[in-house]
Amino acid sequence: MDYTSPEETALKVKRWPKATIAAGYRHTVGLTSDGTVTAVGDNKYGQCDVSGWRDMVAVAAGNAHTGNAHTIGLTSVGTVSAVGWNKYDQCDVSGWRDIVAIAAGWRRTVGIKSDGTVVAVGRNNEGQCNVSEWRDIVAVAAGDWHTIGLKSDGTVVAVGNNRYGQCNVSGWHDIVEVAAGYLHTVGLTSDGTVTAVGWNKRDQCDVSGWRGIVAISAGSNHTIGLRSDGTVAAVGWNEHGQCDVGGWRDIVAVAAGCAHTLGLTSDGTVVAVGDNKNSQCDVSGWRGIQLPGK
């Protein structure tokens, strides 16, 4: 078996793009510049119990339309921490090593290893954890019942439930980022345009007119796009105002939860709109959230 030293793993982890804000069903997670993590919102299953985490470089939040949730953190040495709902073993990641990127879906956790292979734990009734054969993966996204993988050549693979065509990505090319919602999948191309497949009852896939996009995120039934000028676009379900981002400026990262949306500004503060019944949007006091790529 090949041995990868902690130092080698740390270098590999550092090179991968990292999510420093995450939106779950009813909770919000932020990674600070000192490697600690903060969280607000629903804590019924302990998904906000992250105060003891240290040396983190990325965070992810399970975004379940049914309310059960968990939180994942990636350390600088490629190990993974998890708290929250664990009925389907989605938090059983303590043995993972050499991980460079993470994603959290409903009842599921996914990790990319430094060699481009993928591991997954959790509910697999629809085959959403059948990723062991994947190779050359550079990014993953976890929806409720499907999992998406972005390959180094810009093509995309998918496993899991495909009832609404959310896994119909085999024809995609030149993709640089992927996102997965409840029943839809979104891809960002290298030219700043966006494509989407899947359930579109809430118009969450109506992204064909977007231009100048540099990052994307998918909520349960809405889609968010960050423009190169720091403004934000949104389509889809807006019952709680989760798409009311037209006034945002100077945004450098976005995250979409079930019914709320987050934006990270260039000064390390966070803005939020949408459902706040569990205080998941109470982030106005956050400071020093790590900027992407830092």
Side-chain angles (χ1 to χ4, degrees):
M1 180 180 297
D2 292 337
Y3 172 72
T4 302
S5 72
E7 293 78 14
E8 289 175 315
T9 298
L11 285 173
K12 293 173 181 177
V13 170
K14 190 175 181 180
R15 295 188 192 112
W16 240 259
K18 299 294 180 297
T20 62
I21 53 172
Y25 177 65
R26 292 171 175 157
H27 76 296
T28 297
V29 185
L31 172 65
T32 65
S33 56
D34 65 0
T36 59
V37 180
T38 186
V40 291
D42 178 36
N43 197 34
K44 180 179 180 181
Y45 295 94
Q47 60 264 44
C48 290
D49 293 344
V50 296
S51 60
W53 287 5
R54 299 290 182 273
D55 197 29
M56 294 291 166
V57 295
V59 290
N63 179 10
H65 70 285
T66 55
N68 306 322
H70 67 298
T71 303
I72 304 297
L74 174 65
T75 72
S76 65
V77 295
T79 59
V80 181
S81 297
V83 290
W85 191 51
N86 196 35
K87 182 178 180 180
Y88 293 87
D89 300 327
Q90 59 265 44
C91 290
D92 291 354
V93 296
S94 60
W96 285 8
R97 297 291 183 273
D98 201 27
I99 303 298
V100 295
I102 52 173
W106 179 48
R107 309 181 179 187
R108 180 172 81 270
T109 301
V110 186
I112 305 177
K113 302 191 75 173
S114 65
D115 63 359
T117 60
V118 181
V119 290
V121 291
R123 189 179 191 268
N124 195 35
N125 293 43
E126 292 81 27
Q128 59 267 54
C129 288
N130 294 344
V131 296
S132 60
E133 299 301 315
W134 287 3
R135 297 292 182 271
D136 300 317
I137 300 299
V138 296
V140 287
D144 276 30
W145 293 324
H146 68 298
T147 303
I148 302 298
L150 172 62
K151 302 189 72 172
S152 59
D153 64 359
T155 61
V156 181
V157 290
V159 291
N161 184 294
N162 195 34
R163 181 178 178 184
Y164 294 95
Q166 62 265 42
C167 290
N168 293 345
V169 295
S170 60
W172 287 7
H173 298 283
D174 202 27
I175 302 297
V176 296
E177 186 178 350
V178 289
Y182 171 36
L183 295 169
H184 75 297
T185 301
V186 187
L188 172 63
T189 68
S190 63
D191 67 359
T193 58
V194 181
T195 186
V197 291
W199 195 51
N200 197 35
K201 185 176 181 180
R202 308 277 188 175
D203 299 328
Q204 60 265 50
C205 292
D206 291 354
V207 296
S208 61
W210 287 4
R211 298 292 183 272
I213 303 297
V214 295
I216 54 174
S217 186
S220 288
N221 293 297
H222 70 298
T223 303
I224 302 297
L226 172 62
R227 299 189 186 96
S228 57
D229 64 358
T231 62
V232 181
V235 290
W237 184 45
N238 196 35
E239 181 176 340
H240 299 278
Q242 60 264 45
C243 290
D244 293 345
V245 296
W248 286 5
R249 299 292 183 270
D250 201 27
I251 302 298
V252 297
V254 289
C258 179
H260 72 297
T261 302
L262 309 175
L264 174 62
T265 69
S266 63
D267 65 0
T269 59
V270 180
V271 289
V273 290
D275 184 13
N276 196 34
K277 292 184 180 67
N278 293 88
S279 301
Q280 61 265 50
C281 290
D282 291 350
V283 296
S284 60
W286 285 11
R287 298 290 184 273
I289 300 301
Q290 188 169 313
L291 304 183
K294 301 297 183 182

